[in-house]
Amino acid sequence: VKRFAQSMIEAHTASTDMLKAAIAQATPAMTPDPTLNAEQQQTLDMLRGKQGAEFDAAYVDAQRKAHQMTLDTLKAYAANGDVSSLKTFATEMVPVVTGHLNMAKGLKP
């Protein structure tokens, strides 16, 4: 789980940089909202309350769900998005997130 988490930190840092570049090219200009939504905050709060094997199991479950949701969103935007730079970003990220989801599915807490 620790190796997966470190890999995700590195990959998500890179994808965030790519997203920032795509947003910078968007017309009209966009300002993303950096705050967590209620579901994300609830997941984070739940993880903070766990330790050891209980944390590992909850973390793996959260990663599987989050990567599936992200993949679904990216696929939909890649197919139907209306901002060219973001559509390109979504298209490029589909195989990356698919790989992350498969990694998460293979984790044993």
PDB file of all heavy atoms in Angstrom, residues 91-105:
ATOM      1  N   THR A  91      -8.498  12.873 -22.674  1.00  0.00           N
ATOM      2  CA  THR A  91      -8.160  11.759 -23.555  1.00  0.00           C
ATOM      3  C   THR A  91      -6.815  11.152 -23.187  1.00  0.00           C
ATOM      4  O   THR A  91      -6.664   9.924 -23.135  1.00  0.00           O
ATOM      5  CB  THR A  91      -8.148  12.235 -25.022  1.00  0.00           C
ATOM      6  OG1 THR A  91      -9.445  12.745 -25.354  1.00  0.00           O
ATOM      7  CG2 THR A  91      -7.785  11.113 -25.975  1.00  0.00           C
ATOM      8  N   GLU A  92      -5.834  12.013 -22.906  1.00  0.00           N
ATOM      9  CA  GLU A  92      -4.497  11.532 -22.550  1.00  0.00           C
ATOM     10  C   GLU A  92      -4.466  10.857 -21.179  1.00  0.00           C
ATOM     11  O   GLU A  92      -3.644   9.968 -20.940  1.00  0.00           O
ATOM     12  CB  GLU A  92      -3.502  12.693 -22.576  1.00  0.00           C
ATOM     13  CG  GLU A  92      -3.239  13.215 -23.973  1.00  0.00           C
ATOM     14  CD  GLU A  92      -2.385  14.464 -24.006  1.00  0.00           C
ATOM     15  OE1 GLU A  92      -2.050  15.013 -22.934  1.00  0.00           O
ATOM     16  OE2 GLU A  92      -2.055  14.911 -25.125  1.00  0.00           O
ATOM     17  N   MET A  93      -5.348  11.262 -20.295  1.00  0.00           N
ATOM     18  CA  MET A  93      -5.342  10.719 -18.939  1.00  0.00           C
ATOM     19  C   MET A  93      -6.095   9.398 -18.798  1.00  0.00           C
ATOM     20  O   MET A  93      -5.882   8.659 -17.836  1.00  0.00           O
ATOM     21  CB  MET A  93      -5.907  11.746 -17.956  1.00  0.00           C
ATOM     22  CG  MET A  93      -5.013  12.957 -17.741  1.00  0.00           C
ATOM     23  SD  MET A  93      -3.317  12.562 -17.257  1.00  0.00           S
ATOM     24  CE  MET A  93      -3.568  11.655 -15.755  1.00  0.00           C
ATOM     25  N   VAL A  94      -6.981   9.070 -19.746  1.00  0.00           N
ATOM     26  CA  VAL A  94      -7.759   7.831 -19.639  1.00  0.00           C
ATOM     27  C   VAL A  94      -6.862   6.606 -19.451  1.00  0.00           C
ATOM     28  O   VAL A  94      -7.087   5.824 -18.514  1.00  0.00           O
ATOM     29  CB  VAL A  94      -8.727   7.666 -20.836  1.00  0.00           C
ATOM     30  CG1 VAL A  94      -9.255   6.237 -20.931  1.00  0.00           C
ATOM     31  CG2 VAL A  94      -9.885   8.647 -20.714  1.00  0.00           C
ATOM     32  N   PRO A  95      -5.823   6.393 -20.266  1.00  0.00           N
ATOM     33  CA  PRO A  95      -4.999   5.195 -20.037  1.00  0.00           C
ATOM     34  C   PRO A  95      -4.204   5.249 -18.727  1.00  0.00           C
ATOM     35  O   PRO A  95      -3.975   4.211 -18.097  1.00  0.00           O
ATOM     36  CB  PRO A  95      -4.067   5.140 -21.248  1.00  0.00           C
ATOM     37  CG  PRO A  95      -4.148   6.457 -21.904  1.00  0.00           C
ATOM     38  CD  PRO A  95      -5.436   7.094 -21.483  1.00  0.00           C
ATOM     39  N   VAL A  96      -3.819   6.439 -18.303  1.00  0.00           N
ATOM     40  CA  VAL A  96      -3.080   6.585 -17.045  1.00  0.00           C
ATOM     41  C   VAL A  96      -3.972   6.195 -15.874  1.00  0.00           C
ATOM     42  O   VAL A  96      -3.583   5.402 -15.001  1.00  0.00           O
ATOM     43  CB  VAL A  96      -2.552   8.030 -16.882  1.00  0.00           C
ATOM     44  CG1 VAL A  96      -1.915   8.224 -15.520  1.00  0.00           C
ATOM     45  CG2 VAL A  96      -1.576   8.378 -17.997  1.00  0.00           C
ATOM     46  N   VAL A  97      -5.171   6.729 -15.846  1.00  0.00           N
ATOM     47  CA  VAL A  97      -6.089   6.440 -14.744  1.00  0.00           C
ATOM     48  C   VAL A  97      -6.560   4.983 -14.801  1.00  0.00           C
ATOM     49  O   VAL A  97      -6.746   4.345 -13.760  1.00  0.00           O
ATOM     50  CB  VAL A  97      -7.270   7.433 -14.732  1.00  0.00           C
ATOM     51  CG1 VAL A  97      -8.295   7.065 -13.676  1.00  0.00           C
ATOM     52  CG2 VAL A  97      -6.751   8.849 -14.491  1.00  0.00           C
ATOM     53  N   THR A  98      -6.703   4.446 -15.996  1.00  0.00           N
ATOM     54  CA  THR A  98      -7.037   3.028 -16.124  1.00  0.00           C
ATOM     55  C   THR A  98      -5.952   2.179 -15.459  1.00  0.00           C
ATOM     56  O   THR A  98      -6.254   1.232 -14.722  1.00  0.00           O
ATOM     57  CB  THR A  98      -7.198   2.631 -17.602  1.00  0.00           C
ATOM     58  OG1 THR A  98      -8.273   3.388 -18.168  1.00  0.00           O
ATOM     59  CG2 THR A  98      -7.491   1.147 -17.758  1.00  0.00           C
ATOM     60  N   GLY A  99      -4.696   2.531 -15.697  1.00  0.00           N
ATOM     61  CA  GLY A  99      -3.585   1.825 -15.058  1.00  0.00           C
ATOM     62  C   GLY A  99      -3.621   1.955 -13.549  1.00  0.00           C
ATOM     63  O   GLY A  99      -3.403   0.976 -12.824  1.00  0.00           O
ATOM     64  N   HIS A 100      -3.924   3.154 -13.064  1.00  0.00           N
ATOM     65  CA  HIS A 100      -4.007   3.368 -11.610  1.00  0.00           C
ATOM     66  C   HIS A 100      -5.148   2.552 -11.014  1.00  0.00           C
ATOM     67  O   HIS A 100      -5.009   1.968  -9.935  1.00  0.00           O
ATOM     68  CB  HIS A 100      -4.206   4.841 -11.293  1.00  0.00           C
ATOM     69  CG  HIS A 100      -3.030   5.686 -11.617  1.00  0.00           C
ATOM     70  ND1 HIS A 100      -3.045   7.054 -11.467  1.00  0.00           N
ATOM     71  CD2 HIS A 100      -1.800   5.381 -12.087  1.00  0.00           C
ATOM     72  CE1 HIS A 100      -1.879   7.547 -11.830  1.00  0.00           C
ATOM     73  NE2 HIS A 100      -1.109   6.546 -12.218  1.00  0.00           N
ATOM     74  N   LEU A 101      -6.275   2.528 -11.704  1.00  0.00           N
ATOM     75  CA  LEU A 101      -7.418   1.756 -11.215  1.00  0.00           C
ATOM     76  C   LEU A 101      -7.067   0.276 -11.158  1.00  0.00           C
ATOM     77  O   LEU A 101      -7.370  -0.405 -10.167  1.00  0.00           O
ATOM     78  CB  LEU A 101      -8.640   1.987 -12.105  1.00  0.00           C
ATOM     79  CG  LEU A 101      -9.890   1.187 -11.755  1.00  0.00           C
ATOM     80  CD1 LEU A 101     -10.353   1.467 -10.336  1.00  0.00           C
ATOM     81  CD2 LEU A 101     -11.001   1.483 -12.758  1.00  0.00           C
ATOM     82  N   ASN A 102      -6.412  -0.211 -12.180  1.00  0.00           N
ATOM     83  CA  ASN A 102      -6.015  -1.620 -12.178  1.00  0.00           C
ATOM     84  C   ASN A 102      -5.031  -1.915 -11.052  1.00  0.00           C
ATOM     85  O   ASN A 102      -5.109  -2.976 -10.419  1.00  0.00           O
ATOM     86  CB  ASN A 102      -5.428  -2.017 -13.536  1.00  0.00           C
ATOM     87  CG  ASN A 102      -6.493  -2.078 -14.607  1.00  0.00           C
ATOM     88  OD1 ASN A 102      -7.671  -2.270 -14.328  1.00  0.00           O
ATOM     89  ND2 ASN A 102      -6.084  -1.903 -15.850  1.00  0.00           N
ATOM     90  N   MET A 103      -4.118  -0.978 -10.793  1.00  0.00           N
ATOM     91  CA  MET A 103      -3.198  -1.145  -9.667  1.00  0.00           C
ATOM     92  C   MET A 103      -3.966  -1.192  -8.352  1.00  0.00           C
ATOM     93  O   MET A 103      -3.701  -2.028  -7.480  1.00  0.00           O
ATOM     94  CB  MET A 103      -2.168  -0.011  -9.639  1.00  0.00           C
ATOM     95  CG  MET A 103      -1.118  -0.104 -10.710  1.00  0.00           C
ATOM     96  SD  MET A 103      -0.061   1.376 -10.845  1.00  0.00           S
ATOM     97  CE  MET A 103       0.549   1.575  -9.189  1.00  0.00           C
ATOM     98  N   ALA A 104      -4.927  -0.281  -8.199  1.00  0.00           N
ATOM     99  CA  ALA A 104      -5.719  -0.225  -6.962  1.00  0.00           C
ATOM    100  C   ALA A 104      -6.527  -1.508  -6.780  1.00  0.00           C
ATOM    101  O   ALA A 104      -6.647  -2.018  -5.671  1.00  0.00           O
ATOM    102  CB  ALA A 104      -6.636   0.998  -6.975  1.00  0.00           C
ATOM    103  N   LYS A 105      -7.074  -2.015  -7.873  1.00  0.00           N
ATOM    104  CA  LYS A 105      -7.843  -3.257  -7.794  1.00  0.00           C
ATOM    105  C   LYS A 105      -6.968  -4.438  -7.392  1.00  0.00           C
ATOM    106  O   LYS A 105      -7.436  -5.385  -6.779  1.00  0.00           O
ATOM    107  CB  LYS A 105      -8.530  -3.553  -9.127  1.00  0.00           C
ATOM    108  CG  LYS A 105      -9.706  -2.654  -9.411  1.00  0.00           C
ATOM    109  CD  LYS A 105     -10.330  -3.002 -10.755  1.00  0.00           C
ATOM    110  CE  LYS A 105     -11.558  -2.161 -11.032  1.00  0.00           C
ATOM    111  NZ  LYS A 105     -12.142  -2.479 -12.350  1.00  0.00           N
TER     112      LYS A 105
END
